[in-house]
Amino acid sequence: MTEKRLPLWLHKKIPNKSFFVEKVLSCHGVNTVCEAAKCPNRLECFSQKTATFLALGPFCTRACQFCSIPFSKSPSLPDPQEPLQIALSIKDLGLQHAVITMVTRDDLPDQGAQHIKKILQEISKQMPLTTKEVLLSDFSGQFFLLDTILEEKPEVVNHNIETTRALTPKIRSKALYERSLDLLRYVKQSKKAVFVKSGLMVGLGETIDEVKETLVDLYTAGCDIITIGQYLQSSPKNLPPKEFIPLSTFALLEEFGYSLGVKKIFSGPFVRSSYHAASIFSKN
């Protein structure tokens, strides 16, 4: 199979002012999803002195077909120093809005909920005015575990549905489409987050109607913010994209989302869950 050539709208200028962020991350020994997932925006974000932190270690207990984060059935126990080091990194970077994502930890009795809570507490201690956004796993459907995190009242709670109903079994390891919707609904009904957020990728073989169905499902579940981005293959072991979605289609999906009543749709080829998260939050 020949490799698909990237269209012009997927060519990106590479900034070269990322040294400060890299120094801070190295100093505190913290992981970022920017690097682990080989995000195409990482140098741009680093040059703007921001990053998205990856909690609970560098290994995930699931092996989703689209993700380049390393897989392990039995990763090391969470580092007890990680909450403080993440908070100190946020302080050194002077972040007004901090985004914390997590690897899935099916191996832990609480799926990592207490650890995420400690991170949020440390951020509040070190940077009390910084707003907090968490991008969570599905906790294997044990939604009561979310209460531990929701008690800290993060301003934004995000859980990515990733793709359409039909493609979920093909590209998401152990995840269920309806379970993701149920989680978002659970967070919304808790009334402990200012905004509920989710995101999906396009270009994996889904139809426009299937994407629209997913947007309806996310809105019905209570999502205030939805991100839509082009799927790009980050390593040879990951699925290749089926197609590159034109800019006009991203605009169409954005318009459709707003027509449903979604508060904020961020739709474009380089959009990722935490891309420009601070500006999305401030505008809402």
Side-chain angles (χ1 to χ4, degrees):
M1 180 178 176
T2 58
E3 187 177 344
K4 291 180 181 291
R5 184 182 295 274
L6 289 178
L8 288 176
W9 64 83
L10 283 173
H11 288 264
K12 192 165 191 173
K13 197 171 182 179
I14 300 176
N16 59 0
K17 297 179 181 179
S18 60
F19 306 112
F20 175 70
V21 171
E22 291 169 347
K23 183 178 178 181
V24 169
L25 298 176
S26 176
C27 175
H28 293 289
V30 295
N31 299 303
T32 68
V33 73
C34 321
E35 297 166 305
K38 298 181 175 62
C39 177
N41 304 313
R42 61 189 180 277
L43 293 181
E44 177 189 345
C45 293
F46 285 2
S47 71
Q48 296 171 357
K49 296 185 179 179
T50 187
T52 297
F53 299 91
L54 183 64
L56 290 156
F59 295 98
C60 185
T61 55
R62 298 187 188 177
C64 297
Q65 295 294 303
F66 63 88
C67 185
S68 62
I69 293 177
F71 164 77
S72 174
K73 283 185 177 180
S74 53
S76 302
L77 290 174
D79 180 359
Q81 292 301 311
E82 187 180 64
L84 175 60
Q85 295 306 319
I86 286 178
L88 291 176
S89 298
I90 290 166
K91 186 175 184 179
D92 287 350
L93 293 173
L95 297 182
Q96 295 179 333
H97 183 74
V99 185
I100 311 298
T101 186
M102 61 181 287
V103 292
T104 300
R105 292 298 300 262
D106 295 318
D107 60 310
L108 300 175
D110 73 343
Q111 310 270 306
Q114 279 291 338
H115 193 77
I116 299 298
K117 178 178 182 174
K118 290 175 183 176
I119 292 172
L120 295 177
Q121 289 175 331
E122 278 292 347
I123 295 171
S124 296
K125 182 179 177 181
Q126 298 292 333
M127 296 287 283
L129 298 180
T130 293
T131 53
K132 298 174 287 293
E133 178 172 337
V134 287
L135 174 52
L136 303 174
S137 71
D138 64 12
F139 290 91
S140 299
Q142 301 177 72
F143 299 150
F144 66 91
L145 295 171
L146 284 167
D147 295 338
T148 299
I149 298 168
L150 294 174
E151 284 171 3
E152 300 305 314
K153 296 186 177 179
E155 282 77 5
V156 182
V157 175
N158 186 356
H159 170 71
N160 284 335
I161 202 158
E162 305 293 8
T163 188
T164 61
R165 185 186 300 273
L167 288 179
T168 293
K170 300 176 183 177
I171 72 165
R172 296 179 73 194
S173 172
K174 300 182 182 178
L176 302 173
Y177 185 86
E178 287 297 338
R179 181 192 290 168
S180 289
L181 292 175
D182 287 343
L183 183 149
L184 294 165
R185 197 173 290 113
Y186 185 91
V187 174
K188 187 68 173 180
Q189 291 173 354
S190 77
K191 298 182 179 179
K192 291 183 178 178
V194 180
F195 298 113
V196 178
K197 181 177 176 182
S198 190
L200 66 152
M201 305 167 288
V202 289
L204 283 160
E206 68 290 323
T207 67
I208 294 297
D209 285 343
E210 287 173 335
V211 177
K212 287 182 175 180
E213 177 192 26
T214 303
L215 293 177
V216 171
D217 289 342
L218 291 174
Y219 174 68
T220 305
C223 281
D224 304 293
I225 305 171
I226 300 174
T227 59
I228 309 169
Q230 168 71 53
Y231 169 71
L232 295 172
Q233 185 181 23
S234 54
S235 75
K237 72 179 180 67
N238 298 123
L239 287 172
K242 295 285 187 182
E243 61 179 324
F244 297 121
I245 307 302
L247 298 177
S248 59
T249 301
F250 282 108
L252 182 152
L253 293 172
E254 180 177 317
E255 182 180 352
F256 179 77
Y258 282 129
S259 75
L260 295 174
V262 180
K263 289 179 181 176
K264 179 63 182 178
I265 296 279
F266 201 32
S267 178
F270 287 109
V271 170
R272 298 296 182 268
S273 297
S274 55
Y275 187 48
H276 290 176
S279 66
I280 295 175
F281 177 75
S282 64
K283 288 175 183 177
N284 280 275

